[in-house]
Amino acid sequence: MNNKKMKNSLQKSLIRISIIIVIFISISVGTLCFDIYRRDMISRYQNYAGDAINFLSRCIDVDDLEECMHTGVKSDKYNELQTLANDLKETHDLFFIYIIEPLRADPPDNMMDVLAAYTLYEKTYEADELTDLGNYTGDAYPRDVALEYLKRMDTDTTVTYFRNDTDFGKIYTAIRPLINSKGEPIAVICGDILIDDIYKAAYTYALATFIVALIAGLLLVLALNRWYNERIVRPIRNLENATGKIEDKCRKRAPVSELVMDEIDIHTHDEIESLSRSIFSMVEDIRNYASDLIDKDKKISDMQDKNSQLEALANRDSLTGIRNKTAYDNEIKSLEWNLKIGKTEFGIGVVDLNYLKIINDTYGHEKGNEAIKNICRIVCVIFAHSPVFRIGGDEFAIILKGQDLENIDFLIDKFNQELSDLSNNKDLSPWEAVSAAIGYATYDSDKDAGAINVFKRADNNMYENKKRMHAERT
């Protein structure tokens, strides 16, 4: 199952990466097109609005308009201007065309309406909401917006623009002052562009660009997928199949002579073909090398087996099966080395079998050997986490480590109790109800120059216990 999944992983990864790149490029192109289109449309609409208010301003008798503003009476020229402004809005894509007199920065009534253009639809269905000459704007214009209008009450008739957030949405305002015959600004004429419509158009354009780029990219991915499959995926699968057969033979521990790799049908004339040839040659070299190693390893193994057998015989007690005096001496050397590198947590226990000579003399050496094996078994069970050595005919040594060292007093009591239970069992023979003395010592840097000193103190403690046991018996 894992191999089946692996076969499609490279192809899927290549397709996945290609699709991610295509999507990223499509989004980038769409975003770039949106920004370019938005900027271009805003620039065009600004110029469009600027041309419209420039045209309308050239048709205005500013002195007559100023008189209308002062008297509040609409002249014939005012009415003609109203009609022209209405026609201009009807035929041009502008959100608002209006003339306004900025009065001050702070609301309310910081602006006075002079003229506003309306379409036929607005005059028919929105008549109650139309502004007129002399109307004040209340709090419709906040301070920051009013300041933009006040800035343009100057003698420079160049059209400028500023952005304004209104209840209708975001707009750009094209604005220029109206100058009377005395060279004084009396009002400003403005044309508003609704930016939301521009953004919608830009979004639509960007989305269309994104879709076109995405479709083109996906078609490219299909073409690339075919190329991937022919030049990369299929050759690698052939290589995988060939190496997989070798792997299967190795897993099944096939003979080295059968570890032959099939010829690989790869003719891509590139690095993959070179790699396949190198792998084929490498498998052949490894097979030959492995064959030589196996021959040599067999010879070494035979020698190691013989050495292990000899070492086991040299370090194993033939009677009890535990390690002997030679192994114990090697362990003492190891402890001495550990002391040099700061490993000082160890102890030595000494066990001496009691009455072995009496058993040998009374029941024979065979029963004496049974007694030795029985006491050995008890020592090994009690001190299960420490190595036990037979260092003499009836003497055993224990290298106390880990749990046994931490719980030594408990284990000593357990050992003595075990022997006490055996001695109280009248159904047991002397070689079964064995008796032994035990003593131990732990390493103390103030007392011990080395591991041998620890053994001597343990041996002395054992003999003290043995004397006590003989005294109690008599």
Side-chain angles (χ1 to χ4, degrees), residues 355 466-474:
Y355 314 120
K466 182 180 281 288
K467 291 178 182 178
R468 178 182 53 79
M469 294 174 69
H470 280 297
E472 291 175 354
R473 185 177 179 89
T474 57

Side-chain angles (χ1 to χ4, degrees), residues 202-408:
Y203 281 127
T204 302
Y205 179 75
L207 180 61
T209 304
F210 168 76
I211 292 174
V212 171
L214 184 62
I215 292 174
L218 292 177
L219 292 175
L220 178 62
V221 169
L222 292 176
L224 286 174
N225 180 48
R226 183 175 180 181
W227 185 86
Y228 290 153
N229 189 59
E230 291 297 321
R231 296 301 301 271
I232 299 176
V233 177
R234 186 179 60 80
I236 290 179
R237 284 181 179 173
N238 291 339
L239 184 59
E240 180 189 24
N241 290 334
T243 55
K245 291 178 180 178
I246 290 293
E247 179 187 10
D248 187 60
K249 291 177 181 179
C250 292
R251 187 181 297 112
K252 293 179 180 179
R253 299 294 188 269
V256 175
S257 59
E258 295 181 10
L259 301 181
V260 180
M261 189 173 181
D262 298 335
E263 288 285 348
I264 308 173
D265 184 22
I266 296 177
H267 305 288
T268 56
H269 307 292
D270 55 19
E271 291 84 354
I272 296 179
E273 182 177 355
S274 177
L275 175 64
S276 68
R277 291 176 179 175
S278 297
I279 292 176
F280 181 83
S281 176
M282 181 181 66
V283 170
E284 289 295 309
D285 292 340
I286 290 175
R287 183 171 62 84
N288 295 331
Y289 183 64
S291 180
D292 292 340
L293 285 179
I294 289 173
D295 291 340
K296 293 178 181 179
D297 184 68
K298 188 175 183 306
K299 294 178 181 178
I300 293 173
S301 179
D302 292 341
M303 294 177 64
Q304 288 178 339
D305 289 341
K306 292 178 180 179
N307 288 336
S308 297
Q309 292 173 5
L310 292 173
E311 183 179 356
L313 291 173
N315 291 280
R316 190 70 56 183
D317 178 57
S318 59
L319 177 63
T320 60
I322 64 172
R323 282 173 276 191
N324 60 14
K325 181 64 166 60
T326 301
Y328 172 76
D329 292 338
N330 292 332
E331 186 69 17
I332 291 296
K333 293 177 183 179
S334 178
L335 290 176
E336 296 288 357
W337 173 255
N338 287 340
L339 287 175
K340 294 179 181 180
I341 60 175
K343 295 182 179 180
T344 61
E345 295 184 0
F346 74 94
I348 297 178
V350 179
V351 176
D352 190 81
L353 179 63
N354 293 328
Y355 314 120
L356 177 61
K357 186 176 185 307
I358 295 174
I359 295 173
N360 285 333
D361 294 342
T362 306
Y363 303 101
H365 286 279
E366 183 177 346
K367 299 304 180 181
N369 289 341
E370 288 295 324
I372 293 172
K373 289 191 283 185
N374 286 333
I375 193 63
C376 178
R377 176 184 57 78
I378 294 171
V379 172
C380 290
V381 170
I382 298 297
F383 299 93
H385 302 96
S386 299
V388 179
F389 305 83
R390 185 185 179 199
I391 60 175
D394 56 359
E395 191 174 15
F396 299 85
I398 310 160
I399 305 300
L400 299 169
K401 299 179 179 180
Q403 296 180 28
D404 289 354
L405 182 61
E406 295 173 4
N407 303 311
I408 182 59

